Amino acid sequence: MNYFGIDFLIVYAFLAITLVIGIRAGKGIKDIREYALGNKIYGVAILVFTFLATNIGGGSTLNAASDVFANGIIGAIASFGVTIQILLFAIFIVPHIKHFTTYLTIGDVMGSLYGKYSQILTGILGTLYSFYMIGMQLFVLGIICKSLLGVHTNWGVMVGGLLLTTYSAYGGIKAVTATDIFQFLVLFIVIPLIAGIALNKAGGLQAVFTQIPATKLEVFTHKKFSFYSSLFLIWSVLPLGLISPPIFQRLLMAKQPEQLRQQYFILAGLDPLIRVTIMIIGLAGLVLYPQIQSADVMPHIIKELLPIGLKGFAIAGVLAIVISTADSYLHTAGLLLVHDIIKPIIGRKQIFINELKWAQYRGLLTNP
């Protein structure tokens, strides 16, 4: 394994640029409000980028392609329920955010509605959920490093965890948002790139749909129709985004409800495009490599079809998908722990803390 080949150098450059952007963007944080919300300085485009970078997880992306590979287009169709949920957010949830513009976290909001114990409980549950998501993303990161780079899983987890912990703990939401923008631009190029190359190799879109088994095109007659229809209803009707601490954080980052409304309508347009692109990767992989394991479809396409240079860029894009989600959850985990658990508990004993320093130190000391 040549660890100084072109593809590895591209990955190293991506990681170094991510770290530098995060450190520079996070300089000069003065208080916990700036650390949590960036003083609401971001426009619609930036909020769209950071939302998508956070919401598109590494596990969900790889699983979406493998699900289409294994079960057909019904998996992709069910995922469009998320698009409906985004529209429902724009219509029904966003107008009410104006009542919570002074709050920093989801725990703050719950505390204002139901009291301090609710804030503490929300902080505990949100912190546990965030650490679960961090662990899952780092696990996926280790698998990606092993399958695409030949690097031991443990090294991938340790290096990735140290990288995102360093800038997200130090610079808060400003660092996370800045790196999210960079990472989203990379992955927004990489996903269509992988889909385009795989589709071209398979003979084009029409050739793909004529070569895949008819069972992969079934929807209403699919043997798992009840399962996927249930997923569609869950994703479309239940406001699951409200229980995700970093996604809720993006709601609080908006300057005003109208800005937030625009953001969600743009997201509703971009989200299905990304899902269709991932579906194409799964279908093209099914035509090209019908004998491989479904979980290997995207890594296999990257390794087998992409030339040197583009392969490194694609690997960087896949890493960006994982890191951009993990750093957001790491940031909110520290924020919830300090602002919604530690501060309310010790505040009852008239003990006051520097929330900013505690959030930064907690992040640095808690490297998953």
Side-chain angles (χ1 to χ4, degrees):
M1 183 67 67
N2 182 10
Y3 293 110
F4 294 97
I6 293 176
D7 292 328
F8 274 90
L9 292 177
I10 292 173
V11 173
Y12 299 153
F14 163 75
L15 296 176
I17 292 171
T18 296
L19 182 60
V20 170
I21 289 175
I23 295 295
R24 289 179 63 87
K27 281 185 176 180
I29 299 290
K30 298 180 178 62
D31 54 43
I32 192 64
R33 184 173 183 80
E34 187 176 8
Y35 186 83
L37 302 178
N39 288 332
K40 298 178 180 283
I41 62 174
Y42 302 110
V44 173
I46 302 302
L47 292 176
V48 168
F49 288 160
T50 189
F51 179 97
L52 286 173
T54 300
N55 199 46
I56 303 173
S60 61
T61 301
L62 297 178
N63 286 340
S66 65
D67 191 24
V68 170
F69 183 97
N71 297 301
I73 64 172
I74 190 171
I77 292 174
S79 71
F80 286 124
V82 176
T83 304
I84 296 176
Q85 181 186 141
I86 291 173
L87 284 172
L88 293 177
F89 258 64
I91 297 170
F92 297 108
I93 303 298
V94 165
H96 298 285
I97 296 299
K98 64 182 179 182
H99 301 296
F100 307 107
T101 54
T102 61
Y103 299 117
L104 304 185
T105 65
I106 185 174
D108 257 350
V109 173
M110 294 300 291
S112 70
L113 295 173
Y114 305 107
K116 283 297 180 183
Y117 288 113
S118 295
Q119 179 180 8
I120 295 171
L121 179 59
T122 301
I124 293 172
L125 294 176
T127 301
L128 292 175
Y129 176 72
S130 295
F131 275 112
Y132 164 78
M133 291 298 295
I134 296 165
M136 185 173 70
Q137 294 301 317
L138 289 179
F139 176 74
V140 173
L141 181 65
I143 292 175
I144 292 171
C145 289
K146 178 66 175 179
S147 62
L148 293 178
L149 295 172
V151 176
H152 195 281
T153 302
N154 291 341
W155 278 106
V157 171
M158 287 189 291
V159 173
L162 180 62
L163 172 79
L164 65 92
T165 298
T166 300
Y167 69 78
S168 64
Y170 168 76
I173 198 63
K174 283 189 170 181
V176 171
T177 300
T179 54
D180 277 354
I181 295 169
F182 169 62
Q183 291 156 357
F184 176 76
L185 292 175
V186 172
L187 69 89
F188 199 66
I189 296 172
V190 163
I191 293 178
L193 174 69
I194 297 172
I197 291 176
L199 195 61
N200 181 66
K201 185 69 174 180
L205 190 60
Q206 183 176 354
V208 167
F209 276 94
T210 56
Q211 292 181 67
I212 60 175
T215 54
K216 303 297 183 181
L217 299 176
E218 292 178 350
V219 178
F220 297 105
T221 57
H222 197 282
K223 61 182 180 179
K224 294 184 178 179
F225 174 74
S226 60
F227 170 75
Y228 282 107
S229 60
S230 298
L231 282 182
F232 177 82
L233 290 174
I234 291 172
W235 285 333
S236 60
V237 176
L238 296 180
L240 299 178
L242 288 179
I243 66 172
S244 172
I247 297 301
F248 196 91
Q249 205 74 15
R250 270 62 185 169
L251 293 172
L252 299 176
M253 286 170 63
K255 298 175 184 177
Q256 53 191 2
E258 185 56 37
Q259 181 193 45
L260 197 57
R261 189 181 181 89
Q262 293 176 20
Q263 171 193 337
Y264 270 86
F265 279 125
I266 294 172
L267 289 169
L270 291 176
D271 185 76
L273 295 178
I274 296 172
R275 296 184 187 281
V276 168
T277 306
I278 296 172
M279 180 185 73
I280 289 173
I281 294 173
L283 294 177
L286 181 62
V287 171
L288 294 170
Y289 310 108
Q291 303 303 320
I292 66 172
Q293 296 292 320
S294 61
D296 297 331
V297 57
M298 189 177 292
H300 197 81
I301 288 174
I302 292 174
K303 288 190 294 185
E304 296 298 323
L305 296 185
L306 272 61
I308 293 175
L310 281 182
K311 184 183 297 183
F313 186 61
I315 294 171
V318 176
L319 293 176
I321 297 172
V322 179
I323 294 174
S324 61
T325 299
D327 62 10
S328 298
Y329 277 96
L330 183 61
H331 167 252
T332 52
L335 189 61
L336 289 170
L337 180 61
V338 174
H339 187 73
D340 293 326
I341 302 175
I342 296 176
K343 181 185 175 183
I345 290 176
I346 68 174
R348 295 171 64 89
K349 299 181 179 180
Q350 302 300 312
I351 300 174
F352 301 98
I353 62 172
N354 185 326
E355 287 187 82
L356 175 60
K357 296 301 182 183
W358 274 61
Q360 290 175 323
Y361 294 153
R362 188 239 42 100
L364 290 171
L365 293 174
T366 311
N367 184 352

